[in-house]
Amino acid sequence: MGKDASNSKGGGKGKGKQAASGSDENASKGKGKAGKAADGLGTCTYVKARHILCEKQGKINEAYKKLQDGWLSNGDKVPPAEFAKVAQEYSECPSGKKGGDLGWFPRGKMAGPFQEVAFNTPVGVTSAPFKSTHGYHIILSEGRKN
């Protein structure tokens, strides 16, 4: 953790953005590999998350750009209250009215790519946009427990 703090001050601005999009790639490619065990991701039983769901890719990209312009491009984490505002504005899911709050949910409740990304995104990190059978999503991981 100490490395992240020092990198963000001295020219490591792009790393936060890369980490967000990199975690999405890793979630769909490297599942079940040593990376999961080493960082503890994917091993919890429950995740607490917020999300933004859009039917069209263009709309989810617009929402993600808003998050990037405000926080992600600087390597900052998106505050849950700010993510909630963007979810209320863009999300087409009924949870959008609650700021995208999905609460705690167990492994196995969510389908396919959504579960993979939700259980492999570190707490406090916003995922890059990804596609599921329901449309396009962005997830903010808020907690994990067994």
PDB file of all heavy atoms in Angstrom, residues 73-116:
ATOM      1  N   SER A  73      -8.694   9.498 -13.835  1.00  0.00           N
ATOM      2  CA  SER A  73      -7.543   9.922 -14.641  1.00  0.00           C
ATOM      3  C   SER A  73      -6.429  10.500 -13.771  1.00  0.00           C
ATOM      4  O   SER A  73      -5.279  10.547 -14.188  1.00  0.00           O
ATOM      5  CB  SER A  73      -7.962  10.930 -15.711  1.00  0.00           C
ATOM      6  OG  SER A  73      -8.482  12.093 -15.112  1.00  0.00           O
ATOM      7  N   ASN A  74      -6.758  10.913 -12.539  1.00  0.00           N
ATOM      8  CA  ASN A  74      -5.747  11.417 -11.612  1.00  0.00           C
ATOM      9  C   ASN A  74      -5.202  10.313 -10.717  1.00  0.00           C
ATOM     10  O   ASN A  74      -4.404  10.569  -9.830  1.00  0.00           O
ATOM     11  CB  ASN A  74      -6.346  12.510 -10.710  1.00  0.00           C
ATOM     12  CG  ASN A  74      -6.770  13.717 -11.499  1.00  0.00           C
ATOM     13  OD1 ASN A  74      -6.138  14.071 -12.496  1.00  0.00           O
ATOM     14  ND2 ASN A  74      -7.848  14.350 -11.089  1.00  0.00           N
ATOM     15  N   GLY A  75      -5.688   9.092 -10.903  1.00  0.00           N
ATOM     16  CA  GLY A  75      -5.255   7.991 -10.058  1.00  0.00           C
ATOM     17  C   GLY A  75      -6.006   7.940  -8.732  1.00  0.00           C
ATOM     18  O   GLY A  75      -5.653   7.190  -7.844  1.00  0.00           O
ATOM     19  N   ASP A  76      -7.063   8.748  -8.614  1.00  0.00           N
ATOM     20  CA  ASP A  76      -7.846   8.771  -7.383  1.00  0.00           C
ATOM     21  C   ASP A  76      -8.939   7.715  -7.430  1.00  0.00           C
ATOM     22  O   ASP A  76      -9.346   7.266  -8.493  1.00  0.00           O
ATOM     23  CB  ASP A  76      -8.513  10.145  -7.199  1.00  0.00           C
ATOM     24  CG  ASP A  76      -7.498  11.257  -6.995  1.00  0.00           C
ATOM     25  OD1 ASP A  76      -6.402  10.978  -6.478  1.00  0.00           O
ATOM     26  OD2 ASP A  76      -7.809  12.404  -7.368  1.00  0.00           O
ATOM     27  N   LYS A  77      -9.433   7.358  -6.245  1.00  0.00           N
ATOM     28  CA  LYS A  77     -10.584   6.456  -6.155  1.00  0.00           C
ATOM     29  C   LYS A  77     -11.852   7.301  -6.163  1.00  0.00           C
ATOM     30  O   LYS A  77     -11.876   8.399  -5.639  1.00  0.00           O
ATOM     31  CB  LYS A  77     -10.511   5.617  -4.882  1.00  0.00           C
ATOM     32  CG  LYS A  77      -9.353   4.634  -4.921  1.00  0.00           C
ATOM     33  CD  LYS A  77      -9.296   3.778  -3.691  1.00  0.00           C
ATOM     34  CE  LYS A  77      -8.178   2.770  -3.821  1.00  0.00           C
ATOM     35  NZ  LYS A  77      -8.059   1.924  -2.635  1.00  0.00           N
ATOM     36  N   VAL A  78     -12.900   6.758  -6.755  1.00  0.00           N
ATOM     37  CA  VAL A  78     -14.179   7.466  -6.814  1.00  0.00           C
ATOM     38  C   VAL A  78     -14.882   7.299  -5.473  1.00  0.00           C
ATOM     39  O   VAL A  78     -15.131   6.174  -5.034  1.00  0.00           O
ATOM     40  CB  VAL A  78     -15.079   6.897  -7.937  1.00  0.00           C
ATOM     41  CG1 VAL A  78     -16.405   7.646  -7.982  1.00  0.00           C
ATOM     42  CG2 VAL A  78     -14.375   6.962  -9.285  1.00  0.00           C
ATOM     43  N   PRO A  79     -15.211   8.410  -4.794  1.00  0.00           N
ATOM     44  CA  PRO A  79     -15.957   8.291  -3.532  1.00  0.00           C
ATOM     45  C   PRO A  79     -17.332   7.672  -3.792  1.00  0.00           C
ATOM     46  O   PRO A  79     -17.980   7.992  -4.793  1.00  0.00           O
ATOM     47  CB  PRO A  79     -16.104   9.741  -3.065  1.00  0.00           C
ATOM     48  CG  PRO A  79     -15.058  10.508  -3.817  1.00  0.00           C
ATOM     49  CD  PRO A  79     -14.882   9.792  -5.121  1.00  0.00           C
ATOM     50  N   PRO A  80     -17.784   6.757  -2.915  1.00  0.00           N
ATOM     51  CA  PRO A  80     -19.087   6.115  -3.127  1.00  0.00           C
ATOM     52  C   PRO A  80     -20.232   7.103  -3.360  1.00  0.00           C
ATOM     53  O   PRO A  80     -21.104   6.849  -4.191  1.00  0.00           O
ATOM     54  CB  PRO A  80     -19.293   5.302  -1.849  1.00  0.00           C
ATOM     55  CG  PRO A  80     -17.906   4.978  -1.401  1.00  0.00           C
ATOM     56  CD  PRO A  80     -17.087   6.196  -1.755  1.00  0.00           C
ATOM     57  N   ALA A  81     -20.243   8.227  -2.650  1.00  0.00           N
ATOM     58  CA  ALA A  81     -21.320   9.211  -2.826  1.00  0.00           C
ATOM     59  C   ALA A  81     -21.296   9.805  -4.236  1.00  0.00           C
ATOM     60  O   ALA A  81     -22.351  10.067  -4.818  1.00  0.00           O
ATOM     61  CB  ALA A  81     -21.204  10.317  -1.781  1.00  0.00           C
ATOM     62  N   GLU A  82     -20.115   9.988  -4.792  1.00  0.00           N
ATOM     63  CA  GLU A  82     -20.000  10.537  -6.150  1.00  0.00           C
ATOM     64  C   GLU A  82     -20.360   9.479  -7.196  1.00  0.00           C
ATOM     65  O   GLU A  82     -21.004   9.777  -8.196  1.00  0.00           O
ATOM     66  CB  GLU A  82     -18.591  11.088  -6.385  1.00  0.00           C
ATOM     67  CG  GLU A  82     -18.232  12.244  -5.470  1.00  0.00           C
ATOM     68  CD  GLU A  82     -19.185  13.429  -5.594  1.00  0.00           C
ATOM     69  OE1 GLU A  82     -19.662  13.722  -6.713  1.00  0.00           O
ATOM     70  OE2 GLU A  82     -19.454  14.067  -4.564  1.00  0.00           O
ATOM     71  N   PHE A  83     -19.954   8.236  -6.951  1.00  0.00           N
ATOM     72  CA  PHE A  83     -20.345   7.142  -7.845  1.00  0.00           C
ATOM     73  C   PHE A  83     -21.876   7.044  -7.854  1.00  0.00           C
ATOM     74  O   PHE A  83     -22.489   6.858  -8.899  1.00  0.00           O
ATOM     75  CB  PHE A  83     -19.723   5.815  -7.378  1.00  0.00           C
ATOM     76  CG  PHE A  83     -19.952   4.675  -8.336  1.00  0.00           C
ATOM     77  CD1 PHE A  83     -19.005   4.355  -9.290  1.00  0.00           C
ATOM     78  CD2 PHE A  83     -21.110   3.913  -8.278  1.00  0.00           C
ATOM     79  CE1 PHE A  83     -19.210   3.298 -10.179  1.00  0.00           C
ATOM     80  CE2 PHE A  83     -21.329   2.864  -9.154  1.00  0.00           C
ATOM     81  CZ  PHE A  83     -20.375   2.554 -10.108  1.00  0.00           C
ATOM     82  N   ALA A  84     -22.482   7.191  -6.680  1.00  0.00           N
ATOM     83  CA  ALA A  84     -23.943   7.116  -6.555  1.00  0.00           C
ATOM     84  C   ALA A  84     -24.628   8.184  -7.401  1.00  0.00           C
ATOM     85  O   ALA A  84     -25.651   7.920  -8.039  1.00  0.00           O
ATOM     86  CB  ALA A  84     -24.354   7.249  -5.092  1.00  0.00           C
ATOM     87  N   LYS A  85     -24.066   9.392  -7.434  1.00  0.00           N
ATOM     88  CA  LYS A  85     -24.647  10.467  -8.243  1.00  0.00           C
ATOM     89  C   LYS A  85     -24.605  10.113  -9.732  1.00  0.00           C
ATOM     90  O   LYS A  85     -25.577  10.339 -10.466  1.00  0.00           O
ATOM     91  CB  LYS A  85     -23.894  11.778  -8.016  1.00  0.00           C
ATOM     92  CG  LYS A  85     -24.149  12.402  -6.664  1.00  0.00           C
ATOM     93  CD  LYS A  85     -23.319  13.666  -6.507  1.00  0.00           C
ATOM     94  CE  LYS A  85     -23.396  14.219  -5.091  1.00  0.00           C
ATOM     95  NZ  LYS A  85     -22.491  15.367  -4.912  1.00  0.00           N
ATOM     96  N   VAL A  86     -23.472   9.547 -10.174  1.00  0.00           N
ATOM     97  CA  VAL A  86     -23.338   9.161 -11.583  1.00  0.00           C
ATOM     98  C   VAL A  86     -24.294   8.007 -11.885  1.00  0.00           C
ATOM     99  O   VAL A  86     -24.936   7.973 -12.941  1.00  0.00           O
ATOM    100  CB  VAL A  86     -21.873   8.804 -11.932  1.00  0.00           C
ATOM    101  CG1 VAL A  86     -21.749   8.309 -13.362  1.00  0.00           C
ATOM    102  CG2 VAL A  86     -20.974  10.025 -11.716  1.00  0.00           C
ATOM    103  N   ALA A  87     -24.435   7.072 -10.945  1.00  0.00           N
ATOM    104  CA  ALA A  87     -25.374   5.951 -11.126  1.00  0.00           C
ATOM    105  C   ALA A  87     -26.809   6.461 -11.249  1.00  0.00           C
ATOM    106  O   ALA A  87     -27.567   5.998 -12.101  1.00  0.00           O
ATOM    107  CB  ALA A  87     -25.254   4.968  -9.965  1.00  0.00           C
ATOM    108  N   GLN A  88     -27.174   7.421 -10.415  1.00  0.00           N
ATOM    109  CA  GLN A  88     -28.531   7.975 -10.479  1.00  0.00           C
ATOM    110  C   GLN A  88     -28.783   8.647 -11.826  1.00  0.00           C
ATOM    111  O   GLN A  88     -29.887   8.582 -12.357  1.00  0.00           O
ATOM    112  CB  GLN A  88     -28.763   8.972  -9.339  1.00  0.00           C
ATOM    113  CG  GLN A  88     -28.910   8.297  -8.001  1.00  0.00           C
ATOM    114  CD  GLN A  88     -28.978   9.277  -6.843  1.00  0.00           C
ATOM    115  OE1 GLN A  88     -28.523  10.417  -6.936  1.00  0.00           O
ATOM    116  NE2 GLN A  88     -29.535   8.824  -5.738  1.00  0.00           N
ATOM    117  N   GLU A  89     -27.750   9.259 -12.375  1.00  0.00           N
ATOM    118  CA  GLU A  89     -27.884   9.962 -13.645  1.00  0.00           C
ATOM    119  C   GLU A  89     -27.911   9.013 -14.853  1.00  0.00           C
ATOM    120  O   GLU A  89     -28.682   9.215 -15.787  1.00  0.00           O
ATOM    121  CB  GLU A  89     -26.725  10.953 -13.808  1.00  0.00           C
ATOM    122  CG  GLU A  89     -26.787  11.781 -15.072  1.00  0.00           C
ATOM    123  CD  GLU A  89     -25.637  12.775 -15.191  1.00  0.00           C
ATOM    124  OE1 GLU A  89     -24.916  13.007 -14.198  1.00  0.00           O
ATOM    125  OE2 GLU A  89     -25.471  13.313 -16.298  1.00  0.00           O
ATOM    126  N   TYR A  90     -27.088   7.957 -14.825  1.00  0.00           N
ATOM    127  CA  TYR A  90     -26.899   7.135 -16.017  1.00  0.00           C
ATOM    128  C   TYR A  90     -27.504   5.734 -15.956  1.00  0.00           C
ATOM    129  O   TYR A  90     -27.836   5.173 -17.001  1.00  0.00           O
ATOM    130  CB  TYR A  90     -25.400   6.977 -16.323  1.00  0.00           C
ATOM    131  CG  TYR A  90     -24.766   8.231 -16.859  1.00  0.00           C
ATOM    132  CD1 TYR A  90     -24.141   9.139 -16.012  1.00  0.00           C
ATOM    133  CD2 TYR A  90     -24.793   8.512 -18.228  1.00  0.00           C
ATOM    134  CE1 TYR A  90     -23.556  10.292 -16.497  1.00  0.00           C
ATOM    135  CE2 TYR A  90     -24.206   9.664 -18.726  1.00  0.00           C
ATOM    136  CZ  TYR A  90     -23.592  10.543 -17.857  1.00  0.00           C
ATOM    137  OH  TYR A  90     -23.022  11.690 -18.341  1.00  0.00           O
ATOM    138  N   SER A  91     -27.594   5.132 -14.776  1.00  0.00           N
ATOM    139  CA  SER A  91     -27.976   3.719 -14.704  1.00  0.00           C
ATOM    140  C   SER A  91     -29.419   3.486 -15.112  1.00  0.00           C
ATOM    141  O   SER A  91     -30.320   4.237 -14.737  1.00  0.00           O
ATOM    142  CB  SER A  91     -27.749   3.158 -13.303  1.00  0.00           C
ATOM    143  OG  SER A  91     -27.963   1.763 -13.308  1.00  0.00           O
ATOM    144  N   GLU A  92     -29.640   2.417 -15.863  1.00  0.00           N
ATOM    145  CA  GLU A  92     -30.973   2.022 -16.308  1.00  0.00           C
ATOM    146  C   GLU A  92     -31.513   0.866 -15.462  1.00  0.00           C
ATOM    147  O   GLU A  92     -32.565   0.321 -15.746  1.00  0.00           O
ATOM    148  CB  GLU A  92     -30.912   1.640 -17.789  1.00  0.00           C
ATOM    149  CG  GLU A  92     -30.510   2.813 -18.658  1.00  0.00           C
ATOM    150  CD  GLU A  92     -30.092   2.415 -20.067  1.00  0.00           C
ATOM    151  OE1 GLU A  92     -30.204   1.227 -20.437  1.00  0.00           O
ATOM    152  OE2 GLU A  92     -29.625   3.303 -20.804  1.00  0.00           O
ATOM    153  N   CYS A  93     -30.792   0.511 -14.419  1.00  0.00           N
ATOM    154  CA  CYS A  93     -31.207  -0.541 -13.490  1.00  0.00           C
ATOM    155  C   CYS A  93     -32.050   0.099 -12.389  1.00  0.00           C
ATOM    156  O   CYS A  93     -31.789   1.253 -12.015  1.00  0.00           O
ATOM    157  CB  CYS A  93     -29.968  -1.199 -12.878  1.00  0.00           C
ATOM    158  SG  CYS A  93     -30.314  -2.500 -11.689  1.00  0.00           S
ATOM    159  N   PRO A  94     -33.043  -0.603 -11.857  1.00  0.00           N
ATOM    160  CA  PRO A  94     -33.810  -0.041 -10.739  1.00  0.00           C
ATOM    161  C   PRO A  94     -32.924   0.388  -9.559  1.00  0.00           C
ATOM    162  O   PRO A  94     -33.257   1.330  -8.846  1.00  0.00           O
ATOM    163  CB  PRO A  94     -34.738  -1.185 -10.325  1.00  0.00           C
ATOM    164  CG  PRO A  94     -34.897  -1.996 -11.573  1.00  0.00           C
ATOM    165  CD  PRO A  94     -33.580  -1.894 -12.291  1.00  0.00           C
ATOM    166  N   SER A  95     -31.780  -0.261  -9.381  1.00  0.00           N
ATOM    167  CA  SER A  95     -30.864   0.115  -8.293  1.00  0.00           C
ATOM    168  C   SER A  95     -30.264   1.510  -8.511  1.00  0.00           C
ATOM    169  O   SER A  95     -29.733   2.098  -7.575  1.00  0.00           O
ATOM    170  CB  SER A  95     -29.734  -0.910  -8.151  1.00  0.00           C
ATOM    171  OG  SER A  95     -28.855  -0.845  -9.266  1.00  0.00           O
ATOM    172  N   GLY A  96     -30.355   2.021  -9.726  1.00  0.00           N
ATOM    173  CA  GLY A  96     -29.826   3.356 -10.016  1.00  0.00           C
ATOM    174  C   GLY A  96     -30.456   4.423  -9.141  1.00  0.00           C
ATOM    175  O   GLY A  96     -29.813   5.396  -8.758  1.00  0.00           O
ATOM    176  N   LYS A  97     -31.737   4.236  -8.785  1.00  0.00           N
ATOM    177  CA  LYS A  97     -32.421   5.195  -7.918  1.00  0.00           C
ATOM    178  C   LYS A  97     -31.805   5.233  -6.525  1.00  0.00           C
ATOM    179  O   LYS A  97     -31.903   6.229  -5.819  1.00  0.00           O
ATOM    180  CB  LYS A  97     -33.908   4.846  -7.807  1.00  0.00           C
ATOM    181  CG  LYS A  97     -34.656   5.039  -9.104  1.00  0.00           C
ATOM    182  CD  LYS A  97     -36.099   4.599  -9.000  1.00  0.00           C
ATOM    183  CE  LYS A  97     -36.785   4.730 -10.350  1.00  0.00           C
ATOM    184  NZ  LYS A  97     -38.084   4.099 -10.384  1.00  0.00           N
ATOM    185  N   LYS A  98     -31.149   4.119  -6.149  1.00  0.00           N
ATOM    186  CA  LYS A  98     -30.471   4.035  -4.852  1.00  0.00           C
ATOM    187  C   LYS A  98     -28.963   4.245  -5.027  1.00  0.00           C
ATOM    188  O   LYS A  98     -28.171   3.749  -4.231  1.00  0.00           O
ATOM    189  CB  LYS A  98     -30.708   2.670  -4.198  1.00  0.00           C
ATOM    190  CG  LYS A  98     -32.161   2.347  -3.930  1.00  0.00           C
ATOM    191  CD  LYS A  98     -32.302   1.010  -3.213  1.00  0.00           C
ATOM    192  CE  LYS A  98     -31.702  -0.117  -4.030  1.00  0.00           C
ATOM    193  NZ  LYS A  98     -31.789  -1.439  -3.384  1.00  0.00           N
ATOM    194  N   GLY A  99     -28.572   4.930  -6.070  1.00  0.00           N
ATOM    195  CA  GLY A  99     -27.157   5.176  -6.318  1.00  0.00           C
ATOM    196  C   GLY A  99     -26.410   3.943  -6.786  1.00  0.00           C
ATOM    197  O   GLY A  99     -25.198   3.860  -6.651  1.00  0.00           O
ATOM    198  N   GLY A 100     -27.145   2.993  -7.347  1.00  0.00           N
ATOM    199  CA  GLY A 100     -26.518   1.774  -7.851  1.00  0.00           C
ATOM    200  C   GLY A 100     -26.207   0.753  -6.772  1.00  0.00           C
ATOM    201  O   GLY A 100     -25.568  -0.264  -7.038  1.00  0.00           O
ATOM    202  N   ASP A 101     -26.665   1.008  -5.546  1.00  0.00           N
ATOM    203  CA  ASP A 101     -26.338   0.147  -4.414  1.00  0.00           C
ATOM    204  C   ASP A 101     -26.979  -1.231  -4.544  1.00  0.00           C
ATOM    205  O   ASP A 101     -28.198  -1.355  -4.601  1.00  0.00           O
ATOM    206  CB  ASP A 101     -26.789   0.806  -3.114  1.00  0.00           C
ATOM    207  CG  ASP A 101     -26.301   0.082  -1.870  1.00  0.00           C
ATOM    208  OD1 ASP A 101     -25.505  -0.875  -2.000  1.00  0.00           O
ATOM    209  OD2 ASP A 101     -26.710   0.477  -0.771  1.00  0.00           O
ATOM    210  N   LEU A 102     -26.151  -2.262  -4.582  1.00  0.00           N
ATOM    211  CA  LEU A 102     -26.627  -3.641  -4.643  1.00  0.00           C
ATOM    212  C   LEU A 102     -26.548  -4.325  -3.283  1.00  0.00           C
ATOM    213  O   LEU A 102     -26.981  -5.463  -3.139  1.00  0.00           O
ATOM    214  CB  LEU A 102     -25.793  -4.443  -5.657  1.00  0.00           C
ATOM    215  CG  LEU A 102     -25.859  -3.955  -7.103  1.00  0.00           C
ATOM    216  CD1 LEU A 102     -24.861  -4.712  -7.970  1.00  0.00           C
ATOM    217  CD2 LEU A 102     -27.268  -4.102  -7.649  1.00  0.00           C
ATOM    218  N   GLY A 103     -25.963  -3.633  -2.321  1.00  0.00           N
ATOM    219  CA  GLY A 103     -25.797  -4.219  -0.995  1.00  0.00           C
ATOM    220  C   GLY A 103     -24.827  -5.394  -1.031  1.00  0.00           C
ATOM    221  O   GLY A 103     -24.009  -5.517  -1.932  1.00  0.00           O
ATOM    222  N   TRP A 104     -24.932  -6.268  -0.028  1.00  0.00           N
ATOM    223  CA  TRP A 104     -24.096  -7.469   0.047  1.00  0.00           C
ATOM    224  C   TRP A 104     -24.758  -8.583  -0.754  1.00  0.00           C
ATOM    225  O   TRP A 104     -25.961  -8.792  -0.645  1.00  0.00           O
ATOM    226  CB  TRP A 104     -23.944  -7.927   1.499  1.00  0.00           C
ATOM    227  CG  TRP A 104     -23.113  -7.009   2.327  1.00  0.00           C
ATOM    228  CD1 TRP A 104     -23.570  -6.028   3.161  1.00  0.00           C
ATOM    229  CD2 TRP A 104     -21.698  -6.975   2.410  1.00  0.00           C
ATOM    230  NE1 TRP A 104     -22.514  -5.383   3.751  1.00  0.00           N
ATOM    231  CE2 TRP A 104     -21.346  -5.945   3.314  1.00  0.00           C
ATOM    232  CE3 TRP A 104     -20.677  -7.714   1.807  1.00  0.00           C
ATOM    233  CZ2 TRP A 104     -20.027  -5.637   3.632  1.00  0.00           C
ATOM    234  CZ3 TRP A 104     -19.359  -7.408   2.120  1.00  0.00           C
ATOM    235  CH2 TRP A 104     -19.047  -6.379   3.028  1.00  0.00           C
ATOM    236  N   PHE A 105     -23.987  -9.295  -1.550  1.00  0.00           N
ATOM    237  CA  PHE A 105     -24.530 -10.448  -2.255  1.00  0.00           C
ATOM    238  C   PHE A 105     -23.492 -11.564  -2.254  1.00  0.00           C
ATOM    239  O   PHE A 105     -22.298 -11.319  -2.278  1.00  0.00           O
ATOM    240  CB  PHE A 105     -24.989 -10.094  -3.676  1.00  0.00           C
ATOM    241  CG  PHE A 105     -23.952  -9.443  -4.538  1.00  0.00           C
ATOM    242  CD1 PHE A 105     -23.094 -10.192  -5.328  1.00  0.00           C
ATOM    243  CD2 PHE A 105     -23.861  -8.058  -4.588  1.00  0.00           C
ATOM    244  CE1 PHE A 105     -22.145  -9.582  -6.145  1.00  0.00           C
ATOM    245  CE2 PHE A 105     -22.927  -7.432  -5.403  1.00  0.00           C
ATOM    246  CZ  PHE A 105     -22.066  -8.203  -6.179  1.00  0.00           C
ATOM    247  N   PRO A 106     -23.986 -12.821  -2.200  1.00  0.00           N
ATOM    248  CA  PRO A 106     -23.076 -13.971  -2.131  1.00  0.00           C
ATOM    249  C   PRO A 106     -22.579 -14.396  -3.505  1.00  0.00           C
ATOM    250  O   PRO A 106     -23.218 -14.117  -4.527  1.00  0.00           O
ATOM    251  CB  PRO A 106     -23.960 -15.062  -1.535  1.00  0.00           C
ATOM    252  CG  PRO A 106     -25.327 -14.734  -2.031  1.00  0.00           C
ATOM    253  CD  PRO A 106     -25.387 -13.222  -2.065  1.00  0.00           C
ATOM    254  N   ARG A 107     -21.472 -15.102  -3.483  1.00  0.00           N
ATOM    255  CA  ARG A 107     -20.955 -15.727  -4.700  1.00  0.00           C
ATOM    256  C   ARG A 107     -22.038 -16.664  -5.227  1.00  0.00           C
ATOM    257  O   ARG A 107     -22.693 -17.360  -4.457  1.00  0.00           O
ATOM    258  CB  ARG A 107     -19.689 -16.510  -4.375  1.00  0.00           C
ATOM    259  CG  ARG A 107     -18.979 -17.058  -5.572  1.00  0.00           C
ATOM    260  CD  ARG A 107     -17.708 -17.779  -5.172  1.00  0.00           C
ATOM    261  NE  ARG A 107     -16.750 -16.906  -4.521  1.00  0.00           N
ATOM    262  CZ  ARG A 107     -15.914 -16.082  -5.168  1.00  0.00           C
ATOM    263  NH1 ARG A 107     -15.950 -16.018  -6.478  1.00  0.00           N
ATOM    264  NH2 ARG A 107     -15.074 -15.323  -4.511  1.00  0.00           N
ATOM    265  N   GLY A 108     -22.277 -16.634  -6.521  1.00  0.00           N
ATOM    266  CA  GLY A 108     -23.281 -17.492  -7.127  1.00  0.00           C
ATOM    267  C   GLY A 108     -24.603 -16.795  -7.400  1.00  0.00           C
ATOM    268  O   GLY A 108     -25.417 -17.298  -8.151  1.00  0.00           O
ATOM    269  N   LYS A 109     -24.814 -15.617  -6.802  1.00  0.00           N
ATOM    270  CA  LYS A 109     -26.076 -14.907  -7.033  1.00  0.00           C
ATOM    271  C   LYS A 109     -26.071 -14.159  -8.369  1.00  0.00           C
ATOM    272  O   LYS A 109     -27.089 -14.095  -9.048  1.00  0.00           O
ATOM    273  CB  LYS A 109     -26.364 -13.927  -5.900  1.00  0.00           C
ATOM    274  CG  LYS A 109     -27.692 -13.215  -6.083  1.00  0.00           C
ATOM    275  CD  LYS A 109     -28.074 -12.340  -4.930  1.00  0.00           C
ATOM    276  CE  LYS A 109     -29.438 -11.729  -5.191  1.00  0.00           C
ATOM    277  NZ  LYS A 109     -29.856 -10.829  -4.143  1.00  0.00           N
ATOM    278  N   MET A 110     -24.945 -13.575  -8.723  1.00  0.00           N
ATOM    279  CA  MET A 110     -24.837 -12.808  -9.965  1.00  0.00           C
ATOM    280  C   MET A 110     -24.266 -13.691 -11.075  1.00  0.00           C
ATOM    281  O   MET A 110     -23.484 -14.596 -10.820  1.00  0.00           O
ATOM    282  CB  MET A 110     -23.936 -11.587  -9.771  1.00  0.00           C
ATOM    283  CG  MET A 110     -24.386 -10.663  -8.669  1.00  0.00           C
ATOM    284  SD  MET A 110     -25.997  -9.957  -9.018  1.00  0.00           S
ATOM    285  CE  MET A 110     -26.177  -8.845  -7.650  1.00  0.00           C
ATOM    286  N   ALA A 111     -24.651 -13.407 -12.294  1.00  0.00           N
ATOM    287  CA  ALA A 111     -24.256 -14.242 -13.421  1.00  0.00           C
ATOM    288  C   ALA A 111     -22.920 -13.842 -14.026  1.00  0.00           C
ATOM    289  O   ALA A 111     -22.547 -12.668 -14.019  1.00  0.00           O
ATOM    290  CB  ALA A 111     -25.340 -14.193 -14.501  1.00  0.00           C
ATOM    291  N   GLY A 112     -22.230 -14.835 -14.551  1.00  0.00           N
ATOM    292  CA  GLY A 112     -21.055 -14.716 -15.406  1.00  0.00           C
ATOM    293  C   GLY A 112     -20.098 -13.579 -15.148  1.00  0.00           C
ATOM    294  O   GLY A 112     -19.521 -13.470 -14.072  1.00  0.00           O
ATOM    295  N   PRO A 113     -19.922 -12.716 -16.163  1.00  0.00           N
ATOM    296  CA  PRO A 113     -18.915 -11.665 -16.079  1.00  0.00           C
ATOM    297  C   PRO A 113     -19.144 -10.715 -14.905  1.00  0.00           C
ATOM    298  O   PRO A 113     -18.196 -10.224 -14.304  1.00  0.00           O
ATOM    299  CB  PRO A 113     -19.038 -10.902 -17.393  1.00  0.00           C
ATOM    300  CG  PRO A 113     -19.913 -11.703 -18.272  1.00  0.00           C
ATOM    301  CD  PRO A 113     -20.629 -12.702 -17.440  1.00  0.00           C
ATOM    302  N   PHE A 114     -20.401 -10.463 -14.549  1.00  0.00           N
ATOM    303  CA  PHE A 114     -20.675  -9.553 -13.442  1.00  0.00           C
ATOM    304  C   PHE A 114     -20.067 -10.097 -12.157  1.00  0.00           C
ATOM    305  O   PHE A 114     -19.398  -9.385 -11.420  1.00  0.00           O
ATOM    306  CB  PHE A 114     -22.181  -9.318 -13.266  1.00  0.00           C
ATOM    307  CG  PHE A 114     -22.481  -8.198 -12.317  1.00  0.00           C
ATOM    308  CD1 PHE A 114     -22.697  -6.922 -12.792  1.00  0.00           C
ATOM    309  CD2 PHE A 114     -22.520  -8.404 -10.939  1.00  0.00           C
ATOM    310  CE1 PHE A 114     -22.950  -5.868 -11.917  1.00  0.00           C
ATOM    311  CE2 PHE A 114     -22.769  -7.373 -10.068  1.00  0.00           C
ATOM    312  CZ  PHE A 114     -22.988  -6.096 -10.555  1.00  0.00           C
ATOM    313  N   GLN A 115     -20.296 -11.376 -11.886  1.00  0.00           N
ATOM    314  CA  GLN A 115     -19.738 -11.984 -10.678  1.00  0.00           C
ATOM    315  C   GLN A 115     -18.214 -11.960 -10.707  1.00  0.00           C
ATOM    316  O   GLN A 115     -17.573 -11.631  -9.718  1.00  0.00           O
ATOM    317  CB  GLN A 115     -20.223 -13.424 -10.514  1.00  0.00           C
ATOM    318  CG  GLN A 115     -19.594 -14.107  -9.297  1.00  0.00           C
ATOM    319  CD  GLN A 115     -20.183 -15.445  -9.004  1.00  0.00           C
ATOM    320  OE1 GLN A 115     -21.261 -15.515  -8.461  1.00  0.00           O
ATOM    321  NE2 GLN A 115     -19.480 -16.504  -9.375  1.00  0.00           N
ATOM    322  N   GLU A 116     -17.626 -12.303 -11.847  1.00  0.00           N
ATOM    323  CA  GLU A 116     -16.164 -12.310 -11.962  1.00  0.00           C
ATOM    324  C   GLU A 116     -15.575 -10.948 -11.626  1.00  0.00           C
ATOM    325  O   GLU A 116     -14.630 -10.848 -10.854  1.00  0.00           O
ATOM    326  CB  GLU A 116     -15.736 -12.722 -13.368  1.00  0.00           C
ATOM    327  CG  GLU A 116     -15.875 -14.194 -13.634  1.00  0.00           C
ATOM    328  CD  GLU A 116     -15.330 -14.564 -14.999  1.00  0.00           C
ATOM    329  OE1 GLU A 116     -14.286 -14.014 -15.397  1.00  0.00           O
ATOM    330  OE2 GLU A 116     -15.956 -15.400 -15.659  1.00  0.00           O
TER     331      GLU A 116
END
